[in-house]
Amino acid sequence: MAVLKLLEYPEEALRQVSRPVQSFDSSLQGLVDDLQETLESSGAIGLSAPQAGVFERVLVVNVPGDDYGPQVYINPEILGSAKLGIVEESCLSVPGIVGNVMRATQVHVRAQDASGQPFERALEGMHAVCLQHEMDHLEGVLFVDRLSWFRKLRLKWAANRAARATQVA
Ligand code: NI
């Protein structure tokens, strides 16, 4: 087990679309273990493999206080969703940014576990929201892409200011 180094915005690789997992072998189990350990050490509630530079459709979720505990979703698909809500999100790959995003607060997901066993599950609240955030990573989408145009503009100004400051320093 190891704590993985994570890619950070604006790293281009975060835009890559991840490939489906086909072999459910010991190297996949190793990846899942490393993602779980990295998530645990980060204090966040979800993490996807592409954030660690592994472009496979694997993500882990661990929402403190929910009934599930640490979970892994491999090749996840949303079968249905309901009840849109505005939720405040942040991301280990976009440090220092918090923003409001519109998400379904109920989802029905189909996925596989680390042994390849398929399962379906109805999720709600933070677990549902977190799953969608992590599934976005599998498509190369970041939560900042879902912010309002005004909020995005402000982030761009801040990034430009930071870049200028770095040049001067
Ligand atoms: Ni994220």
Side-chain angles (χ1 to χ4, degrees):
M1 302 248 284
V3 171
L4 304 170
K5 188 169 161 22
L6 302 181
L7 302 176
E8 289 186 3
Y9 179 82
E11 166 65 59
E12 264 308 301
L14 286 167
R15 299 307 188 175
Q16 206 165 311
V17 176
S18 292
R19 59 186 169 268
V21 170
Q22 277 162 344
S23 33
F24 292 80
D25 53 15
S26 59
S27 83
L28 176 67
Q29 187 58 58
L31 171 64
V32 170
D33 291 345
D34 288 349
L35 288 171
Q36 302 274 26
E37 188 176 347
T38 306
L39 178 61
E40 199 179 305
S41 79
S42 74
I45 61 171
L47 181 64
S48 63
Q51 288 176 273
V54 180
F55 299 95
E56 298 191 21
R57 301 182 84 81
V58 179
L59 62 89
V60 293
V61 175
N62 189 0
V63 178
D66 84 359
D67 294 338
Y68 292 107
Q71 294 294 309
V72 59
Y73 296 89
I74 296 171
N75 301 329
E77 284 173 80
I78 301 279
L79 303 178
S81 59
K83 287 208 176 159
L84 284 178
I86 305 273
V87 285
E88 189 175 79
E89 295 190 9
S90 58
C91 179
L92 292 170
S93 292
V94 193
I97 306 292
V98 174
N100 290 328
V101 181
M102 178 94 80
R103 299 275 188 199
T105 60
Q106 296 181 345
V107 296
H108 185 188
V109 62
R110 175 165 58 206
Q112 285 163 281
D113 67 16
S115 65
Q117 189 66 35
F119 65 91
E120 283 185 28
R121 192 176 276 174
L123 296 170
E124 56 183 32
M126 280 313 289
H127 202 115
V129 165
C130 182
L131 178 84
Q132 293 165 83
H133 175 117
E134 303 313 329
M135 284 182 70
D136 272 356
H137 280 297
L138 307 182
E139 304 301 329
V141 172
L142 300 174
F143 86 100
V144 287
D145 303 336
R146 297 188 181 277
L147 298 177
S148 69
W149 65 268
F150 179 69
R151 185 90 170 96
K152 273 193 259 196
L153 203 58
R154 285 180 51 187
L155 292 179
K156 202 173 274 179
W157 288 337
N160 288 342
R161 241 191 347 260
R164 277 200 302 276
T166 314
Q167 279 162 17
V168 170

